Amino acid sequence: MTADPTPQTTPPPAAGAAPAPPWHPGLRAAEEAAAFRLRPLARRLIAPLGTLAGTAAAFAYVGVVDPNEPGHYPVCPLLRFTGLYCPGCGGLRSAHAVAHGDLAAALGANALAVAGYALCAVLFAVWLVRAVRGTPSRIALHPAWWWALGTLTALFTLIRNLPFGSALVP
């Protein structure tokens, strides 16, 4: 019996099981991770730093062009035609308040958006650190997390449109 000189990227199959096919996601992920580690640091940082630049530009624009003044941004179609607040209503006003460092006003405009900004900031920091270390980033959430996020968004929308949820109205 001779030793195989190529390293295995996935554990060997159990006794009696067939080996993993070449399109197996574990093999592909391991190959992509190895290729990612070999990239120069500057190339690994292109995507995170480009995303940071785009996000900073968007927040700077919203910070300069005040959404509280009419005529600068279009009106939410759901609010305009039904009078109901969507989960994003007040998001630009909250981004404007965040850009000016007013967390209380941001939470008053759209608390869910502020939570989203914070979550995105944390995920961005993780992405940046992993890129510097040479570890690829993947967000693979279980479907239950997506259902929970959708339920939270639906509840936020429902509560802010009911009389007792008036504190959530922008």
Side-chain angles (χ1 to χ4, degrees):
M1 200 167 153
T2 61
D4 185 11
T6 59
Q8 288 190 346
T9 55
T10 58
W23 48 264
H24 188 270
L27 290 175
R28 184 170 181 211
E31 291 168 359
E32 288 177 4
F36 186 79
R37 276 187 226 99
L38 295 176
R39 292 180 190 160
L41 178 63
R43 186 164 175 222
R44 290 192 313 250
L45 291 177
I46 288 173
L49 293 180
T51 302
L52 177 63
T55 304
F59 267 87
Y61 179 80
V62 173
V64 171
V65 180
D66 191 357
N68 295 308
E69 295 178 18
H72 291 286
Y73 299 97
V75 177
C76 172
L78 184 68
L79 179 62
R80 183 175 189 179
F81 294 120
T82 67
L84 297 173
Y85 294 101
C86 77
C89 281
L92 283 175
R93 288 184 288 265
S94 71
H96 179 77
V98 166
H100 287 276
D102 190 357
L103 186 60
L107 288 169
N110 191 326
L112 188 63
V114 174
Y117 304 150
L119 178 64
C120 285
V122 168
L123 290 175
F124 174 78
V126 169
W127 184 21
L128 190 61
V129 167
R130 289 178 66 96
V132 168
R133 289 183 179 171
T135 309
S137 295
R138 295 205 188 283
I139 299 176
L141 294 177
H142 190 273
W145 285 103
W146 290 111
W147 280 101
L149 181 63
T151 302
L152 174 70
T153 304
L155 284 173
F156 176 76
T157 305
L158 177 68
I159 291 170
R160 79 187 315 201
N161 284 295
L162 293 174
F164 64 85
S166 62
L168 297 175
V169 172

